[in-house]
Structures are given as C-alpha cells and as structure tokens.
Amino acid sequence: MHGLINRAIQSFVCATYGRPLWLRVVESAELGFTEFEAMLVYDRETCLRAVEALCSELGRSRNEVLEDMGTYLVSHPNMEGLRRLLRFGGSSYVEFLHSLDDLADRARLAVSDLNLPGLELHEHSPSEFTLVCEPGLPGFASVLVGVLRAMADDYGALVMLAHEGQREQTELISIKLVESAFSQGRHFDLGGRT
Amino acid sequence: MTLRTSDLTQLLARLCPMFVLLDEAGRICRVGDTLQKLRPMQDMQGLFFQDLFELLRPHGLTTMSELLASADAKLRLRFRDEPRTALKGVVAPLPRGQGAVVNLSFGISILDAVRDYALTSADFSGTDLAIELLYLVEAKSAAMEASCSLNQRLQGAMLAAEEQAYTDMLTGLGNRRAMDHLLGHLVASGTPFALMHLDLDFFKSVNDRLGHAAGDVVLQHSAHIMREATRGDDIVARIGGDEFVLLVKHLQDRAQLGGMAARLIERLQQPIPFEKEFCQISASIGIALSSQFADPQPNEILRAADEALYAAKRAGRAKHRFFDASGERETDVSRTCQHETGATGPHAPPRMEPDQLS
C-alpha cells in the first residue's frame, strides 16, 4: 500500500482527533513506528490494521470513519493541494464526475507507483449517475463518498449520495444532482498555486 | 463547397481560441476570444500583426509575404508590451493570397500565463492539453516535496545513527564513543584494569608516500594485530586517526602488561604488504593502571596514559612506558621509565627515517 494513502490516514487522524489519539492507534495496531512516510510503500496489512484500530478507538463503523476521511481530504486546509488537483478535473461538478474515469491514470501520472482502483461513471440521466468502483483497495468507495460530498460543496452543487454496497466485486455509489449551482462554491483559479 | 469568411471565423473561434486571421497586408481581421483576453484594454482588430508581436524565430521576418513564406516553420514570438508573454504559433496561408491564419499557443509559458491573465479551463480548446499540463506540474511538485522531505529525514536519521554508532567503520573496532562508554562502565563498577594508549609511528609517512588506501590497509592490519593480542573481554578501540586505546581487564601486573605491549610493538613493526610495496610502521604505547589512582576517574586515567605515551615517544618511539604517579616524569623521563625500556628486547627497531620506509 502506497505511503501516500497511509500518510493520508495519519494526517486525517492528527488533524481531526489530535496526535494523542494517533499515538494510541499506532500502539494498538502495533505498527512499531509512529510516522508513515508518504514516499515509501508499506504492506497492506499495516494499513488495514491502522484503520481497524482507529475505528475501534473511535467506536464508529469503518464506513463512517472513511467517509469522514474522504471529506477531510478535500475540505481541510492541509489538503488544499489535493483539492486543487481534483478541481483540475473539470469546471463543473458534472465534468468533475466524468473526470473520475481518469482518476487512476491521473494518480499514476503524478506518482507512478500509486495504484488506485479504476472508476467508471454511468450516466442514467443528466442528473442521475452511478459510480462503479473496482476492487483493489478495501474501503475506497467509502472514502470516495466523502470526497464526492465535499467536492459538491466545493463546486457549489447540491447532491444526494448513497453508498449502494457491493455488486459482485465492485462497489456502487449513486449520485443524484439536485442543483448544479446551488451555492457559490469555493474559488478555483488555474494559476492559484502558491 | 466554398467557405465564407464568416464560416471560417466561426470555425476557428470554436477550434482555436487563440487564432489570428490576417488580411493580405498583415493586418488583424479577427482574433480568438482567449487571445483577446490577454489584452482586454486593447482591441486587436485593425492592428498590424508585427506591431503587436515581436517575432523571435524565424529571424528577420518583417513583411507579410515573408511571414506567409514561413508556413512550414514554427513561429516563436512574444508580445511587444508587458507582460511579454512568449507564444508559439503556426501560419496557414489562405487560398488566392487572401491573407493567413496564425494559430497561437502558450507552450511552456502556460504556467505564468494562467496566473498573469487569470485564465480558466473555458479559455482552452477541448483538445488542448494545457489543463493536464497544469495538473501535472502541481501533482509533481507535491510529490517532489514529499520526496524531498523524506530525503531530509533519512539524511538526519543517518547522521544520528552515525553519531550513535559504537563501531569504527574502517577497522571494525570500537570507536571513541564505545571506549568512553566502556571505560565509564569499568570505572563505575570498580573493575581493575589497565589502559593502553597506542599511537602508530610513521603512519603519516605511509599515507604521504603511498596514499590513503595504503593508510587504510595499515590501520586494518594493525587493528587485526591488536585484536589478536588481547583477550576476548578486553576492549580495543580506535579513538582517532592512528590512535588506539586498549582496555585490559583485571590485569595490573607490570611485567605481563609490559610483555604484551612489547609483543604488540614487535608485531606492528613487521612490514605490511600493500600492492607491490611494503609499509613499515611502529608504535608507541603509554600505559596507566586503575590501581595507580585512589579514586579513578575516566579522564584522569586517559590523561595519565596519554602522558606515558608522550614519554614513550620522547624516548625514541617503538617503546612503551608506564604512567609515573610520582610526578617526576616531566623532569627525568629516562629514570622513571628505566625498568621498562628493555621490554622491547632485541627487537628494538632501528630509527627509521621516512625515506627508508618501504
């Protein structure tokens, strides 16, 4: 599992619940270290143990916790860089949804050994979509629900999201666009990087 | 099918938001929306192309006919006024000498351009890779930043590990830290011991004459000899360039220690092969005993051994001396050390000059 993913979990826990909780997670997951390095690769079990330990420390379900993490990845000031990268996907929420088909390729373009599961958007009507999430990264669909929710806020769109669970190997997320320009959304300009 | 000018401009506006339509005189008839956005206060229509842009490549184009003739070449140009954004372009002449279309793009200046002109994705054609390029630049910068911070932390960890290391990398002996630690331990536990401070003689001339590689071989060879000459629970450490400390536990007997020092010196004097040459060194040893101190302190014992080493050097090298606790050493080296001078026996080496060493 790529360090970027592990590091994102650590960053989420520290920013949301504080470092003391992270240290408890590290201890109960028996990681043997306290810091994930973003640019190293860790074995899969390590990451899964950390998430499991986090959920039991918080006493919340894995889906809930991972969804919060997805929201954090887009909306927290720590993660401005990632939000910007996602905003390059399109100038409207619908364009952004369509750009998710390329998400895994985009990730690989930036960091060649970062492998995210493939995504495929099915458009049932101009306002109704299903996002099909391929297997490979347990919990990824839950994180995505949080990401999609936060990105809707970012674009100023009003959406209804539901994690529809698994079908065969894939996981499904249904997306209903209620209003594409519901609010101002957050500003994004192409040359805005600092 | 004939194409009217209005159709043409419509088509260009859709496909090439940075096009310029020129008449036969080189005057601008129409420009794409994105290009016009770069100079919002100045209507480009009616200006001469060459007045708005400075052509950098190909060199020396001044007339419209020259521009038309460069249709195969890639244009490199920039605005004549600030910000002097660099642009790339291609020229396509219109049929029957009616003028030309120039299609422009930012090239690598895209990074500054999006900032300078507050461009949005709507300003680029649907097939333009500009957005992907911008995405990639940001993604790579973020990845590079993460890599750099990892490198810095690894570098820091490496330095810390080196600092904490107890082993001398060259010889595999303990290092100064290891020696300090173990000496402190011996003193604290009240274990009787002898401390030998050994300094290689003529080492510098080996280094000077045969290079550092030879010096390294000599140090490794010497380390091997010292390890062989000591017992398993004694400690040998390299504490400086050609300086060593041997901690010999439970031994206070001067005859035994003197014999050990003499054997060490004798073995170190055997020529050491290096490539096709031989390196000849020797050693001087100063010895202090823990029993020479009522309340031994590590620094005191080290200083005492160091004084004895100094006396050995002054006595002509290739010798060992015991620390003289009576304090008379400074005034009469030969007398205080006389009992030990014979210890090197028949093997006392001739004085060696650097040019004799081979």
Side-chain angles (χ1 to χ4, degrees):
Chain A
M1 186 93 61
H2 202 282
L4 277 168
I5 294 171
N6 295 290
R7 184 80 188 178
I9 298 169
Q10 177 184 342
S11 163
F12 161 65
V13 175
C14 290
T16 313
Y17 303 103
R19 204 169 156 74
L21 184 100
W22 173 248
L23 295 177
R24 286 211 299 280
V25 168
V26 162
E27 181 140 330
S28 72
E30 296 176 351
L31 296 189
F33 53 85
T34 58
E35 304 289 319
F36 278 115
E37 284 294 347
M39 284 294 148
L40 296 181
V41 174
Y42 296 84
D43 70 56
R44 201 180 177 78
E45 293 308 310
T46 307
C47 176
L48 299 181
R49 275 211 315 277
V51 171
E52 203 174 299
L54 172 62
C55 295
S56 70
E57 281 287 338
L58 294 174
R60 297 177 63 202
S61 75
R62 194 179 78 159
N63 283 357
E64 275 177 10
V65 171
L66 291 181
E67 205 178 307
D68 281 359
M69 187 173 109
T71 306
Y72 164 83
L73 290 177
V74 174
S75 60
H76 196 278
N78 281 351
M79 291 287 142
E80 177 63 12
L82 185 58
R83 172 188 93 95
R84 283 189 55 79
L85 292 180
L86 289 169
R87 280 291 293 252
F88 276 108
S91 54
S92 70
Y93 189 64
V94 172
E95 264 188 41
F96 161 74
L97 289 179
H98 282 284
S99 78
L100 293 174
D101 287 0
D102 299 332
L103 186 75
D105 287 338
R106 277 177 178 265
R108 215 170 7 253
L109 205 56
V111 180
S112 56
D113 55 351
L114 175 59
N115 291 310
L116 297 181
L119 300 173
E120 199 182 331
L121 188 77
H122 295 269
E123 186 171 3
H124 309 299
S125 80
S127 62
E128 283 176 295
F129 307 86
T130 303
L131 186 65
V132 180
C133 181
E134 285 173 11
L137 185 55
F140 187 53
S142 301
V143 176
L144 266 180
V145 172
V147 167
L148 293 175
R149 206 184 297 285
M151 285 305 284
D153 286 350
D154 214 87
Y155 279 102
L158 184 62
V159 295
M160 286 163 63
L161 295 164
H163 189 178
E164 303 285 352
Q166 288 200 338
R167 183 196 293 163
E168 289 160 15
Q169 291 292 304
T170 62
E171 292 191 66
L172 305 179
I173 299 168
S174 74
I175 304 156
K176 194 166 174 173
L177 183 65
V178 180
E179 169 98 59
S180 61
F182 175 71
S183 70
Q184 270 280 282
R186 279 170 72 192
H187 184 69
F188 173 72
D189 78 64
L190 289 178
R193 81 210 147 87
T194 47
Chain B
M1 188 184 84
T2 55
L3 201 62
R4 290 171 308 170
T5 312
S6 60
D7 296 331
L8 178 65
T9 51
Q10 245 180 359
L11 197 66
L12 287 171
R14 174 125 184 79
L15 295 177
C16 316
M18 288 178 68
F19 80 95
V20 188
L21 181 63
L22 298 175
D23 68 13
E24 61 278 10
R27 215 188 315 257
I28 297 172
C29 302
R30 293 292 293 272
V31 298
D33 290 343
T34 301
L35 188 59
Q36 182 61 64
K37 188 175 174 178
L38 307 187
R39 288 294 180 274
M41 308 303 285
Q42 179 185 35
D43 189 355
M44 293 183 181
Q45 279 187 50
L47 297 176
F48 280 100
F49 186 75
Q50 307 269 34
D51 289 343
L52 188 57
F53 298 106
E54 178 189 358
L55 265 166
L56 304 171
R57 293 271 188 288
H59 259 309
L61 291 188
T62 50
T63 66
M64 181 61 183
S65 56
E66 283 170 340
L67 184 63
L68 291 176
S70 72
D72 291 336
K74 280 181 196 151
L75 302 183
R76 302 185 65 85
L77 46 125
R78 65 180 176 208
F79 279 101
R80 287 194 184 274
D81 60 337
E82 297 291 333
R84 304 181 74 178
T85 308
L87 298 166
K88 305 197 309 180
V90 287
V91 185
L94 291 174
R96 298 182 297 281
Q98 288 173 315
V101 176
V102 183
N103 191 23
L104 298 175
S105 105
F106 288 109
I108 209 71
S109 71
I110 181 86
L111 298 178
D112 295 327
V114 287
R115 200 167 16 216
D116 289 347
Y117 304 115
L119 300 176
T120 71
S121 60
D123 294 319
F124 298 97
S125 117
T127 54
D128 196 322
L129 291 175
I131 306 300
E132 280 77 4
L133 181 70
L134 293 170
Y135 159 81
L136 205 51
V137 168
E138 289 202 25
K140 283 289 176 196
S141 307
M144 187 65 90
E145 204 177 298
S147 284
C148 286
S149 93
L150 171 59
N151 282 345
Q152 277 173 3
R153 277 195 298 280
L154 289 180
Q155 175 76 4
M158 195 182 81
L159 290 176
E162 271 175 13
E163 215 157 86
Q164 287 166 19
Y166 270 26
T167 306
D168 171 52
M169 297 307 277
L170 179 66
T171 59
L173 297 176
N175 61 10
R176 173 92 210 195
R177 265 177 66 85
M179 192 277 293
D180 282 341
H181 179 79
L182 295 162
L183 176 58
H185 187 70
L186 285 178
V187 168
S189 64
T191 311
F193 63 94
L195 190 154
M196 290 192 184
H197 190 173
L198 183 152
D199 188 280
L200 297 183
D201 295 326
F202 314 113
F203 176 71
K204 187 175 177 301
S205 64
V206 170
N207 253 345
D208 290 348
R209 208 168 62 83
L210 297 171
H212 287 285
D216 288 353
V217 167
V218 166
L219 289 171
Q220 286 165 337
H221 185 82
S222 305
H224 179 70
I225 288 172
M226 283 179 242
R227 232 180 338 236
E228 277 193 346
T230 48
R231 301 162 304 176
D233 62 343
D234 295 336
I235 290 134
V236 186
R238 178 174 170 230
I239 60 164
D242 58 353
E243 281 183 70
F244 300 82
V245 163
L246 294 80
L247 296 171
V248 186
K249 289 187 196 171
H250 305 295
L251 194 56
Q252 302 284 290
D253 182 276
R254 291 186 178 225
Q256 280 191 46
L257 286 164
M260 185 175 159
R263 280 192 301 278
L264 262 174
I265 293 171
E266 186 204 331
R267 286 207 54 196
L268 287 168
Q269 286 180 170
Q270 310 287 330
I272 301 163
F274 173 74
E275 292 175 355
K276 289 176 185 158
E277 313 253 2
F278 285 94
C279 306
Q280 180 91 53
I281 55 159
S282 183
S284 302
I285 300 177
I287 307 168
L289 310 175
S290 59
S291 57
Q292 288 178 292
F293 301 87
D295 175 24
Q297 294 300 317
N299 279 345
E300 251 183 340
I301 300 174
L302 274 170
R303 201 179 318 115
D306 197 47
E307 273 183 29
L309 172 66
Y310 181 70
K313 291 253 179 200
R314 286 209 356 202
R317 302 192 175 167
K319 297 199 167 39
H320 71 273
R321 291 289 182 273
F322 282 89
F323 171 61
D324 175 29
S326 70
E328 294 171 24
R329 180 196 51 79
E330 290 296 339
T331 52
D332 189 354
V333 173
S334 58
R335 192 178 61 80
T336 56
C337 301
Q338 63 192 347
H339 298 303
E340 286 81 42
T341 45
T344 51
H347 295 291
R351 272 194 73 84
M352 277 179 283
E353 299 304 327
D355 57 355
Q356 288 180 304
L357 302 172
S358 55

